[in-house]
Amino acid sequence: YRKLKFDPYTLQRQFFSQRLEDIPDEDIYKLYHDTIYEYSGLVQCVASVGKGAKFFYNSLRVFGTPQEKDVKNAKFILHFHKEEDAEEMVPR
């Protein structure tokens, strides 16, 4: 994996240093609050790539548990051995 071009700790600190308490509108406050937590989780996930279980649990927290369809698609993709096999796939 490529080296990160940002410091995850600094970026998260910038997220959480926003003065949300100064936002008078409750809906806009919630929008900013939820967005900060969502992006913070993504930053943790990206920062933990290649770190085994830490990445696994961060990705589950961010993206959730894969559905049966996702697992079937992954197994299907893993069975391709040659690039020309990919040509047999027909878009639906």
Side-chain angles (χ1 to χ4, degrees), residues 40-53:
S40 174
L42 287 171
V43 168
Q44 286 179 338
C45 192
V46 169
S48 64
V49 168
K51 297 182 180 170

Side-chain angles (χ1 to χ4, degrees), residues 11-84:
L11 184 57
Q12 285 187 321
R13 192 169 71 187
Q14 289 174 344
F15 286 153
F16 289 107
S17 69
Q18 302 303 308
R19 297 182 52 87
L20 300 185
E21 62 273 3
D22 293 342
I23 300 175
D25 186 284
E26 189 175 324
D27 291 332
I28 295 175
Y29 170 88
K30 181 157 177 36
L31 174 69
Y32 272 88
H33 179 272
D34 293 347
T35 302
I36 287 169
Y37 274 92
E38 183 74 24
Y39 278 99
S40 174
L42 287 171
V43 168
Q44 286 179 338
C45 192
V46 169
S48 64
V49 168
K51 297 182 180 170
K54 189 172 186 178
F55 172 75
F56 175 75
Y57 290 112
N58 280 333
S59 66
L60 284 178
R61 187 178 58 203
V62 171
F63 300 108
T65 304
Q67 303 299 313
E68 185 61 32
K69 180 182 174 185
D70 300 323
V71 174
K72 286 181 181 178
N73 285 337
K75 287 180 181 178
F76 179 76
I77 290 169
L78 289 173
H79 282 90
F80 284 115
H81 296 291
K82 301 176 199 161
E83 190 64 33
E84 57 266 8

